[in-house]
Amino acid sequence: LSEAVMHQALTGPVQFRAHVQPLLAQNCMPCHDGKQMPHLVNLNRRASVMARGPYGDRIVPGHPEKSLLVGNLSLTHAPVKTMPPVGSRMTPEETKILKKWIREGAVWPE
């Protein structure tokens, strides 16, 4: 995201298509696109992300602290230390945007 778009997301309402989807595409889709590693959650599909996974709720609208999508960015879980295990990781500002989006209700247009 550009600096202007980051500022917009951090100071105003977070929009999925303008703010969140590009972050997921850049940082998560190399593995979570439903093709490269089909056994992993597919972040291209709203239903897949909003569904409860084997370890709990991936997204809990209004509660980023309860959402595994956020927790997996920083918490240790075997055998991977953080997400993604390789490649670019979300910056602290990008993580703030993701958390803010979830806190605002995780609106994901169909």
Side-chain angles (χ1 to χ4, degrees), residues 20-98:
V20 176
Q21 193 171 35
L23 294 179
L24 296 178
Q26 177 183 337
N27 297 295
C28 308
M29 291 303 180
C31 296
H32 292 278
D33 65 354
K35 297 174 189 166
Q36 296 300 320
M37 298 182 185
H39 62 285
L40 299 177
V41 63
N42 181 350
L43 295 179
N44 279 324
R45 297 183 48 234
R46 180 186 189 282
S48 174
V49 177
M50 295 299 185
R52 182 171 177 82
Y55 301 107
D57 295 317
R58 295 178 178 116
I59 292 180
V60 180
H63 300 279
E65 73 282 358
K66 296 179 182 178
S67 301
L68 290 178
L69 185 67
V70 172
N72 284 348
L73 296 174
S74 59
L75 297 177
T76 301
H77 60 92
V80 178
K81 297 292 182 196
T82 60
M83 287 294 172
V86 295
S88 68
R89 291 184 169 90
M90 285 194 188
T91 66
E93 291 80 18
E94 292 170 335
T95 302
K96 284 180 188 178
I97 291 170
L98 185 64

